[in-house]
Amino acid sequence: MWNSIITGYAQHGLGKEALQVFYDMVSSGVPPDEVTFIGVLSACSYTGRVKEGIELFESMKSKYLVNPKTEHYSCVVDLLGRAGKLNEAMNLIRDMSVEADACVWGALLGACRLHNRLDLAEVVAKKLLLIEPENSGHHILLSNIYSSQGRWRDVAALRSNMRVQSLSKSPGCSWIEVEKNVHVFTGGDIMSHPEHALILKMVEKLDGVIIEAGYSPDGSFVLHDVEEEEKVHSLRYHSEKLAVAFGILKVPKGMPIRIMKNLRVCGDCHAAIKLIARVTEREIVLRDANRFHHFKDGSCSCGDYW
């Protein structure tokens, strides 16, 4: 039960509360186990509590007699990586008492993408491709890093290699339940929904009002060698924006709009949904691949740290 509460707080970005529950648990005489530390270290990672996370990790074995496993190292690598401490994360991997697996290297690769460390990303990606050559996600993430640097030849070479290996990327999709029916949206595909005309009008309306409120499309999240106008068009029809537009049309005012997404929410959509929540006076809850985002009054529960 303690672990469930800690993990729940972590997933909703409530790091302070997760830590408090951890200390309440310990003071009540319940010893933490491996799962406890995954939850509390994740909470520290999601909220940028580097000092607290490192202290907890170092106390695992010495104070609580819990041997760190790859899952715990992965949490700490993620903690350091999100905070921009990529060299420290790399040093931790080199000093691990167990062999680093794909989760550990994957956490570091994600941090390289976040902080544009292409030099380190290539090293990490090569490790991952040796460990999991069939995982398209590693190819895609490295491709995205190349794209952000304008290295289109490298992007083309990676994509060609994926085709040779018959690897494909899972498309970004979001879904929302309305009146016990699940509506699924795929990025760029609006015509497949029976109410596409209404959704399209709402997307365009929202786009206009948030631009007036200060929104500026961020083309860096469209990782293709295309013109700026095409990038703006692509951003407008990301799956989470389509789901939000549908939610505003169908979910009664006063009720939260709850959306699920299979991938991490992109930075442009995150900025847009904050403004949509403000101008429409709606609460929007988005659960992406990593955590819950609660948008309300122009801000997000993650504090723009995710």
Side-chain angles (χ1 to χ4, degrees), residues 12 21 33 38 60 67-68 104 119 122 143 145 164 166 221 235:
H12 287 270
V21 172
D33 60 12
I38 291 173
M60 279 183 64
N67 289 318
V104 175
D119 56 333
E122 289 185 280
S143 174
I145 292 169
V164 169
S166 300
F221 291 98
L235 287 170

Side-chain angles (χ1 to χ4, degrees), residues 219-230:
S220 68
F221 291 98
V222 182
L223 301 170
H224 306 289
D225 191 10
V226 297
E227 297 297 324
E228 200 63 32
E229 186 176 342
E230 290 181 70

Side-chain angles (χ1 to χ4, degrees), residues 85-159:
K85 299 179 181 294
L86 275 74
N87 291 334
E88 291 181 35
M90 190 66 179
N91 291 335
L92 176 67
I93 293 174
R94 287 172 177 155
D95 295 337
M96 281 176 57
S97 58
V98 292
E99 186 175 354
D101 63 4
C103 289
V104 175
W105 289 112
L108 185 56
L109 184 58
C112 291
R113 167 71 181 94
L114 183 65
H115 296 286
N116 289 317
R117 279 290 304 274
L118 181 60
D119 56 333
L120 186 56
E122 289 185 280
V123 174
V124 177
K126 287 175 182 177
K127 291 277 189 182
L128 280 165
L129 294 177
L130 286 172
I131 297 170
E132 291 184 338
E134 74 290 345
N135 189 328
S136 64
H138 307 324
H139 294 78
I140 294 297
L141 196 47
L142 183 57
S143 174
N144 289 348
I145 292 169
Y146 285 147
S147 298
S148 66
Q149 300 286 329
R151 293 175 56 175
W152 305 115
R153 288 186 180 180
D154 291 319
V155 172
L158 266 176
R159 300 282 174 157

Side-chain angles (χ1 to χ4, degrees), residues 215-264:
Y215 166 71
S216 177
D218 188 345
S220 68
F221 291 98
V222 182
L223 301 170
H224 306 289
D225 191 10
V226 297
E227 297 297 324
E228 200 63 32
E229 186 176 342
E230 290 181 70
K231 289 186 177 184
V232 171
H233 181 82
S234 176
L235 287 170
R236 182 180 295 167
Y237 301 112
H238 275 194
S239 66
E240 52 266 61
K241 288 180 182 172
L242 298 176
V244 166
F246 185 74
I248 289 171
L249 285 167
K250 298 296 181 178
V251 178
K253 274 206 166 187
M255 293 181 62
I257 297 168
R258 302 182 185 277
I259 297 163
M260 304 286 284
K261 181 176 170 65
N262 67 330
L263 304 175
R264 180 181 182 272

Side-chain angles (χ1 to χ4, degrees), residues 167-187:
L167 300 176
S168 60
K169 175 189 176 184
S170 299
C173 66
S174 301
W175 57 98
I176 178 172
E177 182 179 337
V178 177
E179 295 180 351
K180 298 184 179 180
N181 291 315
V182 177
H183 299 261
V184 181
F185 299 91
T186 303

